[in-house]
C-alpha cells in the first residue's frame, strides 16, 4: 500500500472536467486506488464517488493505492493535480 497527500489547487477543485481527467488517469493503472478526505474514502476510478467528496480549491486529500503499480499510480495522479489538470 502506498499513500501520499496532495492539495487540490486548481480554481474549481475536483469537479466535472478535472474529475474526469483524474478518473481517466486512475483507470490507466491496475492497482486499486482510493481518494480519502477526512473520514470518507471513495474509489478513485468512480466519477460519482470522487464528485461526492465535494473537493474544492485548497482541500488536501490522501491518495491511496494498493497493487502492482501502486507507487506509479499515486505519483501520476499527484503530477496531474500539481499541473492543475493542464487547464
Amino acid at each position: 500500500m502506498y499513500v501520499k497527500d496532495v492539495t487540490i489547487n486548481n480554481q474549481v477543485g475536483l469537479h466535472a472536467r478535472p474529475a474526469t481527467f483524474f478518473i481517466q488517469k486512475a483507470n490507466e493503472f491496475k492497482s486499486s486506488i482510493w481518494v480519502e478526505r477526512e473520514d470518507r474514502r471513495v474509489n478513485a476510478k468512480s466519477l460519482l464517488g470522487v464528485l461526492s467528496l465535494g473537493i474544492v480549491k485548497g482541500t488536501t486529500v490522501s491518495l491511496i493505492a494498493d497493487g502492482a503499480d501502486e507507487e506509479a499510480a499515486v505519483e501520476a495522479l499527484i503530477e496531474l493535480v500539481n499541473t492543475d489538470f493542464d487547464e
Side-chain angles (χ1 to χ4, degrees):
M1 186 171 289
Y2 187 76
V3 181
K4 213 162 183 185
D5 291 342
V6 65
T7 301
I8 309 299
N9 287 315
N10 70 313
Q11 205 59 34
V12 296
L14 202 50
H15 294 285
R17 191 164 172 232
T20 300
F21 293 146
F22 185 86
I23 285 133
Q24 287 172 343
K25 180 60 73 177
N27 277 300
E28 292 176 11
F29 298 92
K30 293 181 179 168
S31 293
S32 296
I33 309 168
W34 300 274
V35 180
E36 190 172 77
R37 178 181 181 206
E38 296 164 0
D39 61 347
R40 290 196 55 218
R41 183 183 287 189
V42 299
N43 183 346
K45 297 178 181 183
S46 163
L47 181 60
L48 194 56
V50 171
L51 290 176
S52 75
L53 291 177
I55 298 168
V56 296
K57 182 177 181 175
T59 302
T60 299
V61 297
S62 296
L63 300 179
I64 305 154
D66 190 22
D69 53 3
E70 59 191 30
E71 188 171 341
V74 169
E75 294 300 332
L77 290 169
I78 287 173
E79 183 179 334
L80 180 66
V81 168
N82 287 338
T83 60
D84 291 335
F85 305 91
D86 293 326
E87 292 191 314

mmCIF file of all heavy atoms in Angstrom, residues 52-73:
data_model
loop_
_atom_site.group_PDB
_atom_site.id
_atom_site.type_symbol
_atom_site.label_atom_id
_atom_site.label_comp_id
_atom_site.label_asym_id
_atom_site.label_seq_id
_atom_site.Cartn_x
_atom_site.Cartn_y
_atom_site.Cartn_z
ATOM 1 N N SER A 52 -18.648 13.051 -5.113
ATOM 2 C CA SER A 52 -19.378 13.054 -3.842
ATOM 3 C C SER A 52 -18.552 13.609 -2.680
ATOM 4 O O SER A 52 -19.105 13.990 -1.658
ATOM 5 C CB SER A 52 -19.872 11.649 -3.500
ATOM 6 O OG SER A 52 -18.802 10.837 -3.049
ATOM 7 N N LEU A 53 -17.239 13.684 -2.843
ATOM 8 C CA LEU A 53 -16.382 14.217 -1.777
ATOM 9 C C LEU A 53 -16.444 15.744 -1.700
ATOM 10 O O LEU A 53 -16.028 16.327 -0.701
ATOM 11 C CB LEU A 53 -14.927 13.768 -1.973
ATOM 12 C CG LEU A 53 -14.651 12.288 -1.749
ATOM 13 C CD1 LEU A 53 -13.189 11.985 -2.041
ATOM 14 C CD2 LEU A 53 -14.999 11.866 -0.329
ATOM 15 N N GLY A 54 -16.922 16.390 -2.752
ATOM 16 C CA GLY A 54 -17.038 17.852 -2.733
ATOM 17 C C GLY A 54 -15.704 18.550 -2.549
ATOM 18 O O GLY A 54 -15.577 19.459 -1.731
ATOM 19 N N ILE A 55 -14.709 18.148 -3.296
ATOM 20 C CA ILE A 55 -13.355 18.676 -3.145
ATOM 21 C C ILE A 55 -13.249 20.033 -3.839
ATOM 22 O O ILE A 55 -13.427 20.150 -5.040
ATOM 23 C CB ILE A 55 -12.324 17.688 -3.719
ATOM 24 C CG1 ILE A 55 -12.397 16.371 -2.943
ATOM 25 C CG2 ILE A 55 -10.924 18.279 -3.662
ATOM 26 C CD1 ILE A 55 -11.649 15.235 -3.589
ATOM 27 N N VAL A 56 -12.961 21.065 -3.061
ATOM 28 C CA VAL A 56 -12.818 22.421 -3.581
ATOM 29 C C VAL A 56 -11.356 22.851 -3.512
ATOM 30 O O VAL A 56 -10.524 22.166 -2.919
ATOM 31 C CB VAL A 56 -13.709 23.418 -2.792
ATOM 32 C CG1 VAL A 56 -15.185 23.092 -2.970
ATOM 33 C CG2 VAL A 56 -13.335 23.428 -1.322
ATOM 34 N N LYS A 57 -11.061 23.990 -4.123
ATOM 35 C CA LYS A 57 -9.690 24.516 -4.112
ATOM 36 C C LYS A 57 -9.180 24.628 -2.679
ATOM 37 O O LYS A 57 -9.879 25.100 -1.794
ATOM 38 C CB LYS A 57 -9.653 25.892 -4.779
ATOM 39 C CG LYS A 57 -8.266 26.481 -4.839
ATOM 40 C CD LYS A 57 -8.237 27.803 -5.558
ATOM 41 C CE LYS A 57 -6.803 28.314 -5.581
ATOM 42 N NZ LYS A 57 -6.685 29.529 -6.360
ATOM 43 N N GLY A 58 -7.957 24.144 -2.464
ATOM 44 C CA GLY A 58 -7.333 24.210 -1.148
ATOM 45 C C GLY A 58 -7.538 22.983 -0.282
ATOM 46 O O GLY A 58 -6.977 22.873 0.795
ATOM 47 N N THR A 59 -8.328 22.026 -0.750
ATOM 48 C CA THR A 59 -8.590 20.796 0.003
ATOM 49 C C THR A 59 -7.400 19.845 -0.119
ATOM 50 O O THR A 59 -6.885 19.633 -1.211
ATOM 51 C CB THR A 59 -9.852 20.089 -0.531
ATOM 52 O OG1 THR A 59 -10.961 20.975 -0.448
ATOM 53 C CG2 THR A 59 -10.144 18.822 0.254
ATOM 54 N N THR A 60 -6.980 19.285 0.991
ATOM 55 C CA THR A 60 -5.935 18.263 0.973
ATOM 56 C C THR A 60 -6.600 16.895 1.091
ATOM 57 O O THR A 60 -7.447 16.683 1.960
ATOM 58 C CB THR A 60 -4.932 18.466 2.118
ATOM 59 O OG1 THR A 60 -4.305 19.749 1.943
ATOM 60 C CG2 THR A 60 -3.859 17.384 2.128
ATOM 61 N N VAL A 61 -6.223 16.002 0.189
ATOM 62 C CA VAL A 61 -6.761 14.645 0.192
ATOM 63 C C VAL A 61 -5.609 13.657 0.243
ATOM 64 O O VAL A 61 -4.474 13.987 -0.100
ATOM 65 C CB VAL A 61 -7.629 14.366 -1.058
ATOM 66 C CG1 VAL A 61 -8.849 15.272 -1.080
ATOM 67 C CG2 VAL A 61 -6.830 14.499 -2.333
ATOM 68 N N SER A 62 -5.904 12.440 0.655
ATOM 69 C CA SER A 62 -4.929 11.350 0.621
ATOM 70 C C SER A 62 -5.229 10.486 -0.590
ATOM 71 O O SER A 62 -6.392 10.151 -0.839
ATOM 72 C CB SER A 62 -5.021 10.503 1.881
ATOM 73 O OG SER A 62 -4.671 11.255 3.016
ATOM 74 N N LEU A 63 -4.200 10.141 -1.337
ATOM 75 C CA LEU A 63 -4.325 9.198 -2.433
ATOM 76 C C LEU A 63 -3.730 7.887 -1.950
ATOM 77 O O LEU A 63 -2.592 7.852 -1.478
ATOM 78 C CB LEU A 63 -3.596 9.698 -3.672
ATOM 79 C CG LEU A 63 -4.086 11.033 -4.225
ATOM 80 C CD1 LEU A 63 -3.260 11.437 -5.439
ATOM 81 C CD2 LEU A 63 -5.552 10.964 -4.585
ATOM 82 N N ILE A 64 -4.489 6.821 -2.050
ATOM 83 C CA ILE A 64 -4.095 5.522 -1.520
ATOM 84 C C ILE A 64 -4.190 4.498 -2.649
ATOM 85 O O ILE A 64 -5.220 4.420 -3.314
ATOM 86 C CB ILE A 64 -5.025 5.102 -0.365
ATOM 87 C CG1 ILE A 64 -5.045 6.194 0.707
ATOM 88 C CG2 ILE A 64 -4.624 3.750 0.201
ATOM 89 C CD1 ILE A 64 -6.295 6.223 1.532
ATOM 90 N N ALA A 65 -3.123 3.758 -2.871
ATOM 91 C CA ALA A 65 -3.149 2.731 -3.914
ATOM 92 C C ALA A 65 -2.596 1.434 -3.354
ATOM 93 O O ALA A 65 -1.713 1.432 -2.496
ATOM 94 C CB ALA A 65 -2.341 3.177 -5.122
ATOM 95 N N ASP A 66 -3.120 0.335 -3.869
ATOM 96 C CA ASP A 66 -2.671 -0.978 -3.448
ATOM 97 C C ASP A 66 -2.658 -1.886 -4.676
ATOM 98 O O ASP A 66 -3.689 -2.090 -5.311
ATOM 99 C CB ASP A 66 -3.621 -1.535 -2.381
ATOM 100 C CG ASP A 66 -3.075 -2.793 -1.722
ATOM 101 O OD1 ASP A 66 -1.842 -3.002 -1.770
ATOM 102 O OD2 ASP A 66 -3.877 -3.572 -1.175
ATOM 103 N N GLY A 67 -1.476 -2.374 -5.029
ATOM 104 C CA GLY A 67 -1.362 -3.256 -6.185
ATOM 105 C C GLY A 67 0.018 -3.174 -6.810
ATOM 106 O O GLY A 67 0.919 -2.528 -6.280
ATOM 107 N N ALA A 68 0.156 -3.815 -7.951
ATOM 108 C CA ALA A 68 1.449 -3.944 -8.612
ATOM 109 C C ALA A 68 2.063 -2.602 -9.002
ATOM 110 O O ALA A 68 3.276 -2.434 -8.942
ATOM 111 C CB ALA A 68 1.306 -4.824 -9.850
ATOM 112 N N ASP A 69 1.230 -1.643 -9.408
ATOM 113 C CA ASP A 69 1.753 -0.352 -9.854
ATOM 114 C C ASP A 69 1.308 0.790 -8.940
ATOM 115 O O ASP A 69 1.120 1.921 -9.367
ATOM 116 C CB ASP A 69 1.347 -0.078 -11.309
ATOM 117 C CG ASP A 69 -0.156 -0.214 -11.536
ATOM 118 O OD1 ASP A 69 -0.902 -0.470 -10.565
ATOM 119 O OD2 ASP A 69 -0.588 -0.062 -12.698
ATOM 120 N N GLU A 70 1.170 0.481 -7.650
ATOM 121 C CA GLU A 70 0.628 1.441 -6.685
ATOM 122 C C GLU A 70 1.396 2.752 -6.617
ATOM 123 O O GLU A 70 0.811 3.836 -6.621
ATOM 124 C CB GLU A 70 0.524 0.813 -5.293
ATOM 125 C CG GLU A 70 1.826 0.329 -4.734
ATOM 126 C CD GLU A 70 1.679 -0.527 -3.484
ATOM 127 O OE1 GLU A 70 0.664 -1.222 -3.326
ATOM 128 O OE2 GLU A 70 2.619 -0.496 -2.664
ATOM 129 N N GLU A 71 2.727 2.689 -6.550
ATOM 130 C CA GLU A 71 3.517 3.909 -6.430
ATOM 131 C C GLU A 71 3.403 4.755 -7.695
ATOM 132 O O GLU A 71 3.208 5.975 -7.628
ATOM 133 C CB GLU A 71 4.982 3.586 -6.134
ATOM 134 C CG GLU A 71 5.798 4.809 -5.803
ATOM 135 C CD GLU A 71 7.201 4.485 -5.296
ATOM 136 O OE1 GLU A 71 7.448 3.347 -4.861
ATOM 137 O OE2 GLU A 71 8.037 5.388 -5.357
ATOM 138 N N ALA A 72 3.490 4.128 -8.850
ATOM 139 C CA ALA A 72 3.374 4.851 -10.120
ATOM 140 C C ALA A 72 2.003 5.499 -10.242
ATOM 141 O O ALA A 72 1.878 6.631 -10.738
ATOM 142 C CB ALA A 72 3.613 3.896 -11.283
ATOM 143 N N ALA A 73 0.967 4.818 -9.785
ATOM 144 C CA ALA A 73 -0.396 5.347 -9.861
ATOM 145 C C ALA A 73 -0.541 6.617 -9.031
ATOM 146 O O ALA A 73 -1.031 7.639 -9.525
ATOM 147 C CB ALA A 73 -1.394 4.288 -9.395
#
